[in-house]
Amino acid sequence: MLIESFVASTRAVEKKPNATTTKDIGIYLHEYQPNPSLKSYFKKSSTQPNCIAANATHIFAAQADKSAVHVYNKDRNNHEAIVPFQEQITCLALAGQYEGAGTLVMGTQGGRLILWEPSPNDPSQPLPLTPSRTLADHRAAITSVIFGHSASKANLALSAAKDQTCIIWDYRKGVLLHTYLLGASPLCLALDPADRAAYAGCEDGSIRLLDFYKKQSLLHPLYDPNQQSTPTQPPASDHWHLPQASSSPVLCLQVSYDGTTLLSGHESGKVHQWNIAQGKFNVQITDFSLPVTNLLVLPPTGFPNPRTPSLKIHHVVKPRYESSLDSSRGNGSSSIIPSNYTFTAQFTSTLPLPDAPTGASDLEDALTHASFPISMLENGINELAALNNPSPHASHSEHNTLKVANEGLKTQLDTALCRQREAITKVLKLEEEKFRRQEDDAVKKARKKRRRIRMMEAEERARKIVMGVTVENRAEGEGDTGTVVDGEDGLSSDTDEMSSE
């Protein structure tokens, strides 16, 4: 059974006299399908929006009031480390987690990007420190930026701002694809898993659906030049509201793994679930009583054959700040990674020997590569050709053997068909004889009944004559002796034996 869970983080606020929040809890690991329930929690954390990330083993949370990132171990359910920085971290994201522990990308208050590998295994060259493109079409502060799921050059980027607009970009070319007028200030964005629609959470507590395929077009609606220059306002049916009148702002959004439900975290501390197909509020999952600033939907668990990474990271490796980081920016040095930057990990399975068989077939090995080997393709084509065109070099004895086998099979088939026809004919004859017997019995019963009735009528007529009662003339077919002639077959009833009487 598949289990879907999410990670939620909150921002600490001044405690009210009647507050019922659990002390110091700032991160929650909550299951919401199939049985909504709190699985675990972590203390000593307070985060702003876009300041939490998670991989298979750890959760990283940039603190709202400190220049530090807290690291929590999901397997051990504890607070593992506090990583200090010289500047406050205002946002973070985890990249490349599908190939390992990933690289944590952190944005600072001073405008810098810090890349941290919690489990470095192949340090890369430093990234350029200047932006490649600048996209400037919003007229107010930007509140959220998200990217599409595609790995192609046609991937999308979406940005929302307090000017009540949401813009879709082709960020590789720096082209504005479409603008949506929302009618409310969006605070967060979420994208459909298939990149067919986006969802915007607004200050008034509502959610706007941005359907990219709403308009009819021969081209992709986002790349149709006739539609790019005209802003679109979502219809009223795409405005989703909570049932209650007073709604708190939506601070974060996340779409489920299968794209059927939407989770929203609100400033009131509530987490709501929305039905995407019906376009309406479904149920309140939980209430943390503190502003929910971040939601992360984790990959579902419970698959029959899950793919496990070859390495398991038990402890993260803290980054070390060195003066060379600043000096390298001025003199062009590339010594960004310290020379003794190491980590400790555990292999999750036995490492295969260089020449040892992997246990998988050649086809299974080929399926894991970008393309099939040329030799495998050639062998497959040759096998198909041999099936369609038998080899002319086959021996004469093989052809004779096949011919004899085919003739034997044909003889067996003809014998079976003949026996089947004989059995069917026999069954039909038996059914016909049974039907005839039933018809004869029915005719005999009818004749006996008619004869009995006529004899009773004759006796009644004779009794009346004796009593001197005038009777009608005899019907045709009646003799002087009181016999009754069967009108259907001309047989006298006296000649038939009435053994049943």
Side-chain angles (χ1 to χ4, degrees):
M1 181 177 60
L2 295 183
I3 298 176
E4 292 189 75
S5 306
F6 66 88
V7 176
S9 67
T10 59
R11 183 182 69 244
V13 295
E14 293 184 2
K15 301 293 180 63
K16 298 180 180 179
N18 296 328
T20 59
T21 58
T22 307
K23 184 178 181 181
D24 294 336
I25 295 180
I27 297 178
Y28 302 83
L29 182 57
H30 203 283
E31 177 184 332
Y32 78 99
Q33 287 186 5
N35 300 316
S37 59
L38 180 63
K39 299 173 62 177
S40 60
Y41 56 84
F42 304 95
K43 296 184 177 182
K44 299 180 180 179
S45 179
S46 175
T47 57
Q48 294 287 355
N50 304 318
C51 288
I52 190 171
N55 59 18
T57 56
H58 292 83
I59 298 175
F60 306 89
Q63 300 305 296
D65 52 352
K66 301 176 184 177
S67 300
V69 173
H70 289 192
V71 182
Y72 301 91
N73 193 311
K74 293 196 297 183
D75 295 335
R76 299 182 179 181
N77 197 26
N78 65 351
H79 188 182
E80 184 172 302
I82 298 177
V83 184
F85 291 90
Q86 292 188 342
E87 298 180 75
Q88 185 172 352
I89 305 299
T90 56
C91 61
L92 57 82
L94 196 60
Q97 63 267 32
Y98 299 105
E99 300 178 358
T103 300
L104 201 64
V105 183
M106 298 170 286
T108 67
Q109 196 171 17
R112 294 199 305 165
L113 286 179
I114 299 176
L115 274 65
W116 169 29
E117 289 185 273
S119 59
N121 46 25
D122 185 16
S124 58
Q125 295 296 325
L127 297 177
L129 301 178
T130 57
S132 59
R133 295 186 185 277
T134 301
L135 310 175
D137 281 85
H138 285 291
R139 301 183 303 275
I142 296 176
T143 56
S144 181
V145 176
I146 58 174
F147 289 86
H149 303 88
S150 174
S152 67
K153 295 182 179 180
N155 198 17
L156 305 173
L158 286 80
S159 60
K162 289 191 174 181
D163 57 3
Q164 300 185 359
T165 62
C166 177
I167 298 179
I168 305 176
W169 308 88
D170 182 348
Y171 64 91
R172 296 180 184 271
K173 299 179 181 179
V175 177
L176 187 152
L177 298 179
H178 202 73
T179 302
Y180 287 92
L181 307 178
L182 303 182
S185 296
L187 300 180
C188 53
L189 294 172
L191 196 60
D192 178 78
D195 293 351
R196 296 180 57 87
Y199 310 92
C202 302
E203 279 185 336
D204 59 358
S206 65
I207 293 177
R208 302 291 196 272
L209 168 62
L210 311 179
D211 190 347
F212 302 158
Y213 291 85
K214 197 80 170 181
K215 291 187 176 181
Q216 300 295 329
S217 175
L218 296 177
L219 303 175
H220 191 294
L222 296 180
Y223 294 92
D224 190 347
N226 298 326
Q227 300 185 16
Q228 290 179 351
S229 59
T230 305
T232 301
Q233 185 172 6
S237 59
D238 292 342
H239 294 187
W240 304 349
H241 297 274
L242 292 171
Q244 56 268 28
S246 58
S247 302
S248 62
V250 182
L251 302 182
C252 50
L253 288 174
Q254 278 284 290
V255 184
S256 63
Y257 177 79
D258 56 2
T260 59
T261 57
L262 180 70
L263 300 181
S264 62
H266 295 256
E267 191 172 4
S268 62
K270 298 178 180 179
V271 177
H272 294 152
Q273 185 183 49
W274 304 75
N275 190 313
I276 293 179
Q278 298 179 0
K280 65 178 183 179
F281 169 78
N282 187 18
V283 67
Q284 176 182 315
I285 297 180
T286 185
D287 186 359
F288 297 129
S289 301
L290 289 174
V292 182
T293 55
N294 294 276
L295 285 174
L296 289 178
V297 173
L298 303 178
T301 59
F303 288 102
N305 298 312
R307 183 179 179 182
T308 57
S310 58
L311 291 178
K312 185 175 183 180
I313 310 302
H314 290 284
H315 300 282
V316 298
V317 180
K318 296 182 180 181
R320 289 192 340 176
Y321 181 83
E322 294 186 357
S323 59
S324 60
L325 292 175
D326 285 335
S327 61
S328 63
R329 298 174 65 184
N331 56 21
S333 174
S334 60
S335 59
I336 297 297
I337 305 298
S339 58
N340 58 348
Y341 198 50
T342 59
F343 77 105
T344 303
Q346 176 188 358
F347 292 108
T348 57
S349 61
T350 304
L351 294 179
L353 298 176
D355 299 330
T358 59
S361 63
D362 295 338
L363 178 61
E364 292 176 344
D365 291 337
L367 290 175
T368 60
H369 292 78
S371 61
F372 287 98
I374 299 298
S375 59
M376 181 175 290
L377 295 176
E378 291 178 350
N379 292 335
I381 294 174
N382 293 334
E383 290 179 1
L384 291 175
L387 291 175
N388 296 328
N389 300 315
S391 175
H393 303 290
S395 62
H396 183 68
S397 60
E398 292 179 356
H399 286 290
N400 291 336
T401 303
L402 292 175
K403 185 177 180 180
V404 172
N406 290 335
E407 291 178 353
L409 292 175
K410 184 178 179 181
T411 303
Q412 294 178 5
L413 179 61
D414 292 340
T415 304
L417 292 175
C418 183
R419 292 178 178 177
Q420 183 183 15
R421 286 193 292 268
E422 292 177 355
I424 292 175
T425 303
K426 186 176 181 180
V427 170
L428 290 177
K429 288 183 178 180
L430 293 175
E431 292 292 333
E432 183 179 1
E433 293 177 358
K434 182 179 179 180
F435 178 76
R436 287 180 179 178
R437 287 195 300 268
Q438 292 176 351
E439 288 292 326
D440 293 342
D441 293 341
V443 171
K444 290 180 180 180
K445 290 180 180 180
R447 288 177 177 177
K448 290 179 180 180
K449 184 176 181 181
R450 287 198 300 271
R451 291 166 186 162
R452 191 180 301 113
I453 294 174
R454 289 176 180 176
M455 291 180 64
M456 293 174 62
E457 290 178 351
E459 292 177 354
E460 180 66 19
R461 185 180 295 106
R463 185 181 66 82
K464 290 182 179 180
I465 292 174
V466 172
M467 295 176 61
V469 180
T470 304
V471 295
E472 297 178 358
N473 296 331
R474 300 173 187 171
E476 293 185 5
E478 294 185 1
D480 296 336
T481 59
T483 59
V484 181
V485 179
D486 196 322
E488 294 182 1
D489 50 12
L491 296 177
S492 174
S493 61
D494 293 339
T495 61
D496 289 345
E497 182 180 359
M498 301 184 65
S499 58
S500 61
E501 298 180 1

